[in-house]
Amino acid sequence: MLTSSELKKIPIFSCLNDANLLWLSQQAADLHLEPGEYLIHEGEPTPFFVVMDGSTEVFKDVMGRRTEVSEHKPGDFFGELAILMATSAPASVRAKTACHLARLDPQHLQELIRRSPEFSALILQTLNERVQVVQKYMLNLPSSRVQIVGSKFDDDCREIRTFLSMNRIPYEWADRDRSAHLAPTDQACEVAGLSVVVDGSFCVSHPPTVRKVAEALGFQTAPHRQSYDVVIIGGGPAGLAAAVYGASEGLSVLLVERKAPGGQAGTSSRIENYLGFPNGISGDDLSQRAFRQAVKFGAEVVLTREVQEIIPHPDGAYTIGLDGSDRVATKTVILATGVAWRRLEADGVDRFIGRGVLYGAARTEAPTVAGKRVFIIGGGNSAGQAALFFADYASSVTMLVRGEDLRRSMSQYLIDQIALVPGIRVETETQVVSADGTECLNAIDTRKKGEAVIRRAADALFVMIGADAVTNWLPPQLQRENGYVRTGREVSDKPGWAADRAPFLLETNLPGFFCVGDVRYNSIKRVSSSVGEGSMAIAFVHQYLSLPFQIVADAGYSTAKRKA
């Protein structure tokens, strides 16, 4: 416990009278930390700290890169900025050496300010100085880490922009088709085609790809170990939840994601029905929080890689083959690949994919539709969220819905919001018949039930008509229903359950092979249920790993390869 005499020696407390020092000693926590222990994580609520002895280091995530900002020495204090301005911690703080600190809860700091005018004056003077320091710091920061010059019709350019956006990496993009004055990348890279510069100096080799950009930014793109307790395939909400809970409970975890964390949910502009976020949360924000959590607990998250091969072995283990010939061994597998957007069967549509026709609706498309006529096919929640988001940019947004109304497929809160936006028009019982244009989409033909086909001018068509499971690359003996993977009680006796026990709730007919999220047969297609399944799968992994060793030689194991 801290004493009044100890506190009196600290400059910030030297102005306090004996009564306030005694009160303070009864309220302040007496902390002792070892080097490397965290006091504050960026983005969290923070108490008020005073360094009694030792030193701490301050660092923050600046555009996806950890940057050291400053350090605190004996007598320094911090945390008052976030408390008095009612914000979260602007940076992370951890012990640099063995530290002794005093900690005050926010209400106790505010009470001390009320009790002592002298203390209040010191705090407010320091607060003003720190706000000025923050202003100068922000002015010296670059506006982005990545500069891109490329066409909006270039698939690689679009994929790179989507990857950067989903990973919260600020970038500047000059559309080569529209900009006469290109970004500074032309000085370092080839003028023709797509060019990408990272951190103002490193030019990504030609042709730029998502993986090359990820490596230049310091993301992990290859496994660090040869074997793991569990390999998670897919980095959507279900996969990220499994990685967080698996790593936090001491399992060695590898998560493989071929694009960016978040999956289709990561492209949602706002998820408003997720528990704990009454004002909603964007898909990429939710995904990035989960990604940082998983890495914090020690999970390896490998991005821009694809699992192409899963080889079951008679002893119950698995070999996972990644593109690029990397292979790892694992005791268990969690499949969380999600689903792929269903293709639109209409004349001419395939010719304009990437040139006005897009599947899904990434937020990175906002600049490409500014002032344009946008059409969205679909009546689900994803289509509704996309319509609300693009309405802030496009000259008009029209939702084309095959059903009689939105109530059959969309949450009521989205229906109510759409009704309040004058720039969004909903046309029911309508479908797209064909698409037309020269180099890019210029028009679509639509037909309303019982009426003639009409032609409309269109600049962008976002297709969101449901999704299908793509699982033909998985081991052939894995039981599926219309492509979706059977688990638990859905597993039938044929082609065979090899173990002498019933499968766990999320376990496939291959022992130790679990399936979660949208790719699972009869799953509930909601972000919250996917998160729940991902966390539940880890509980079953623990139960599986505690089972006695058993060879299941009659399971008909064979190799299956995934098509690139």
Side-chain angles (χ1 to χ4, degrees), residues 40 44-50 77-90 102-113 119 123-124 127 130:
I40 303 171
E44 295 178 346
T46 176
F48 177 71
F49 292 99
V50 179
F77 58 89
F78 53 96
E80 81 293 337
L81 180 64
I83 293 172
L84 297 179
M85 299 189 73
T87 62
S88 56
R103 184 189 70 196
L104 277 178
D105 291 336
Q107 65 270 27
H108 294 143
L109 173 65
Q110 292 166 344
E111 174 64 16
L112 195 56
I113 289 173
F119 180 81
I123 287 291
L124 293 177
L127 180 65
R130 287 183 175 168

Side-chain angles (χ1 to χ4, degrees), residues 116-446:
S116 172
E118 296 83 7
F119 180 81
S120 175
L122 286 171
I123 287 291
L124 293 177
Q125 178 184 347
T126 305
L127 180 65
N128 182 58
E129 293 172 353
R130 287 183 175 168
V131 169
Q132 293 179 14
V133 170
V134 169
Q135 289 174 335
K136 292 180 181 178
Y137 177 76
M138 294 305 295
L139 287 173
N140 291 328
L141 282 177
S143 59
S144 62
R145 287 193 63 191
V146 181
Q147 290 80 42
I148 305 170
V149 176
S151 170
K152 66 180 180 182
F153 299 131
D154 186 310
D155 290 338
D156 287 332
C157 181
R158 177 178 293 106
E159 288 184 6
I160 289 171
R161 289 187 288 116
T162 300
F163 175 81
L164 294 173
S165 178
M166 292 182 68
N167 284 286
R168 296 293 187 88
I169 305 295
Y171 66 90
E172 294 177 5
W173 168 50
D175 186 350
R176 192 180 294 279
D177 298 329
R178 299 177 60 184
S179 302
H181 177 66
L182 299 179
T185 50
D186 357 326
Q187 300 175 8
C189 297
E190 298 181 30
V191 174
L194 174 64
S195 55
V196 180
V197 170
V198 176
D199 292 331
S201 59
F202 180 79
C203 179
V204 177
S205 62
H206 190 76
T209 63
V210 170
R211 186 176 302 171
K212 290 178 182 178
V213 173
E215 290 170 348
L217 290 166
F219 287 101
Q220 183 178 347
T221 60
H224 289 162
R225 302 175 52 168
Q226 294 297 314
S227 63
Y228 297 86
D229 291 324
V230 57
V231 171
I232 303 164
I233 306 170
L240 287 169
V244 168
Y245 285 96
S248 67
E249 294 175 10
L251 298 176
S252 57
V253 176
L254 173 67
L255 185 151
V256 183
E257 167 55 44
R258 59 178 177 174
K259 292 185 178 179
Q264 286 186 5
T267 65
S268 296
S269 56
R270 183 154 297 274
I271 303 170
E272 296 191 65
N273 58 352
Y274 190 77
L275 182 67
F277 295 93
N279 296 322
I281 182 171
S282 67
D284 62 343
D285 191 10
L286 182 65
S287 303
Q288 279 303 301
R289 291 178 184 220
F291 172 68
R292 290 196 299 269
Q293 244 181 325
V295 173
K296 167 190 167 184
F297 286 126
E300 285 189 38
V301 181
V302 171
L303 301 180
T304 72
R305 299 297 295 275
E306 183 177 55
V307 173
Q308 293 186 329
E309 184 179 30
I310 300 177
I311 305 175
H313 298 291
D315 62 358
Y318 295 86
T319 295
I320 307 297
L322 280 64
D323 61 315
S325 75
D326 284 334
R327 288 193 171 197
V328 296
T330 182
K331 299 173 185 176
T332 60
V333 177
I334 297 178
L335 183 72
T337 50
V339 290
W341 290 112
R342 190 171 297 144
R343 292 295 187 180
L344 175 65
E345 300 296 332
D347 292 341
V349 167
D350 289 347
R351 188 160 64 95
F352 299 110
I353 293 177
R355 293 180 170 271
V357 176
L358 294 171
Y359 287 88
R363 297 207 299 169
T364 48
E365 296 304 322
T368 69
V369 301
K372 301 293 183 65
R373 295 155 299 194
V374 171
F375 288 82
I376 298 173
I377 309 178
N381 281 2
S382 295
Q385 291 164 353
L388 289 167
F389 178 69
F390 287 137
D392 292 334
Y393 299 88
S395 61
S396 66
V397 175
T398 304
M399 297 187 66
L400 304 176
V401 183
R402 178 174 292 189
E404 296 177 357
D405 57 51
L406 291 174
R407 287 176 294 178
R408 293 186 177 183
S409 55
M410 187 180 294
S411 297
Q412 187 63 45
Y413 79 93
L414 282 172
I415 296 174
D416 294 341
Q417 291 181 24
I418 289 170
L420 296 174
V421 180
I424 300 177
R425 178 182 172 85
V426 180
E427 298 185 15
T428 57
E429 297 184 304
T430 303
Q431 56 184 311
V432 172
V433 176
S434 63
D436 197 9
T438 51
E439 294 185 357
C440 59
L441 179 71
N442 298 133
I444 59 172
D445 292 331
T446 64

Side-chain angles (χ1 to χ4, degrees), residues 6-23:
E6 283 181 294
L7 294 170
K8 183 75 173 180
K9 297 176 183 178
I10 304 300
I12 187 64
F13 298 140
S14 62
C15 64
L16 299 177
N17 59 33
D18 291 343
N20 283 333
L21 283 170
L22 178 60
W23 177 86

